[in-house]
């Protein structure tokens, strides 16, 4: 049985469409401080696996405002708790920095060996490649997993949009200020959001890979 380890109920509602046999586990795994969402998600999956001792996925997501060089990015949670979503929206609109994208990395770990995504330790080279690699939405593979590290498989998704005045009652987090094709994510129901969202894309590629892994 697969565990989706998160403290965020909004994520669980969206994941249900992709994951039939999944149980949500409310565990606040330690998040490492890093510029790379891939490294954060990978380490999160390892900690979550050690905690629940069963196959897990975790999902690290963030809002990247292009005119602010990707801020708040991996710090989206801290910024939501401190500045708040509406102020982030006001700042972006005031500075005319409204082009943005959401990114999500789903990380899977089951303690077994399998063809893992290259160890996303945050070296200088990997940092430069991070956005492009994540935007491709596919997990690269090679045999460079560090000895002793639990193998992790990563699945990425991204969606472009723009920052607008808050609209809508649904979703969570930054959804009311993020508009995609004329509709904010908070104006969509979970299925509509999944059809276009960063998380929907990452979960769809995970679900496809996982279906082949579990007969
Ligand atoms: P877990 O780490 O326990 O899963 P979290 O809410 O801390 O829950 P993240 O670190 O991935 O999850 O989220 C970073 C921030 O981005 C946080 O403030 C979320 O509310 C926000 N966020 C993530 N996905 C989002 C989405 O699909 N729509 C709007 N905001 C989102």
């Amino acid at each position: 049985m697969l565990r989706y380890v998160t403290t965020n109920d909004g994520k669980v509602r969206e994941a249900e469409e992709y994951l039939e046999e999944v149980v949500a586990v409310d565990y606040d795994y330690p998040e490492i401080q890093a510029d790379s969402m891939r490294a954060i998600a990978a380490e999160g999956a390892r900690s979550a696996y050690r905690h629940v001792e069963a196959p897990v996925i975790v999902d690290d997501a963030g809002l990247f405002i292009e005119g602010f060089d990707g801020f708040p990015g991996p710090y989206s949670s801290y910024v939501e708790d401190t500045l708040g979503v509406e102020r982030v929206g006001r700042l972006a609109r005031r500075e005319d920095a409204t082009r943005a994208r959401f990114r999500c990395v789903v990380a899977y770990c089951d303690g077994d060996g399998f063809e893992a995504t290259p160890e996303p330790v945050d070296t200088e080279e990997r940092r430069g490649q991070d956005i492009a690699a994540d935007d491709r939405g596919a997990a690269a593979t090679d045999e460079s997993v560090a000895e002793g590290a639990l193998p992790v498989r990563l699945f990425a998704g991204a969606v472009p949009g723009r920052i607008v005045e808050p609209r809508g009652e649904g979703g969570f987090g930054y959804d009311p200020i993020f508009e995609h094709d004329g509709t904010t994510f908070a104006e969509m129901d979970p299925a509509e959001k999944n059809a276009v969202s960063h998380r929907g894309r990452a979960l769809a590629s995970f679900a496809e890979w996982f279906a082949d892994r579990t007969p």
Side-chain angles (χ1 to χ4, degrees):
M1 173 77 69
L2 180 63
R3 264 65 167 188
Y4 185 18
V5 180
T6 178
T7 59
N8 187 321
D9 293 342
K11 289 184 180 180
V12 176
R13 276 196 298 279
E14 292 172 17
E16 277 163 359
E17 184 178 331
Y18 296 95
L19 308 167
E20 280 164 19
E21 298 268 309
V22 73
V23 173
V25 175
D26 185 345
Y27 169 59
D28 199 6
Y29 56 86
E31 274 193 18
I32 61 165
Q33 191 89 351
D35 292 343
S36 158
M37 290 180 46
R38 295 164 70 87
I40 296 169
E43 272 313 296
R46 292 186 180 109
S47 310
Y49 171 75
R50 285 190 201 100
H51 179 75
V52 302
E53 297 182 328
V56 293
I57 54 171
V58 303
D59 141 355
D60 194 56
L63 175 69
F64 292 70
I65 299 175
E66 291 183 15
F68 290 164
D69 290 340
F71 172 89
Y75 307 99
S76 294
S77 182
Y78 176 73
V79 170
E80 182 180 339
D81 291 346
T82 50
L83 274 183
V85 168
E86 298 210 358
R87 278 171 83 194
V88 172
R90 273 204 299 279
L91 280 175
R93 295 196 311 276
R94 195 172 74 201
E95 299 284 324
D96 204 17
T98 55
R99 278 164 56 126
R101 82 180 34 220
F102 267 127
R103 291 172 51 211
C104 174
V105 178
V106 168
Y108 172 82
C109 182
D110 63 13
D112 275 348
F114 54 86
E115 200 181 8
T117 306
E119 169 68 356
V121 170
D122 202 17
T123 62
E124 285 306 320
E125 298 122 84
R126 287 200 61 85
R127 227 174 260 169
Q129 294 162 5
D130 189 47
I131 287 186
D134 280 4
D135 282 356
R136 276 203 297 278
T141 58
D142 76 6
E143 288 165 10
S144 63
V145 176
E147 215 176 316
L150 283 170
V152 172
R153 182 96 184 173
L154 303 179
F155 303 84
V159 59
R162 66 187 194 103
I163 304 298
V164 295
E165 283 192 35
R167 297 198 317 265
E169 303 297 324
F172 65 94
Y174 295 92
D175 282 345
I177 63 164
F178 187 85
E179 185 188 75
H180 176 78
D181 269 353
T183 309
T184 69
F185 273 1
E187 292 173 317
M188 300 179 184
D189 65 30
E192 289 165 335
K193 181 179 167 188
N194 275 339
V196 292
S197 80
H198 50 314
R199 179 163 302 102
R201 286 172 190 181
L203 284 171
S205 51
F206 167 73
E208 198 182 324
W209 176 81
F210 192 61
D212 284 347
R213 183 164 171 73
T214 45

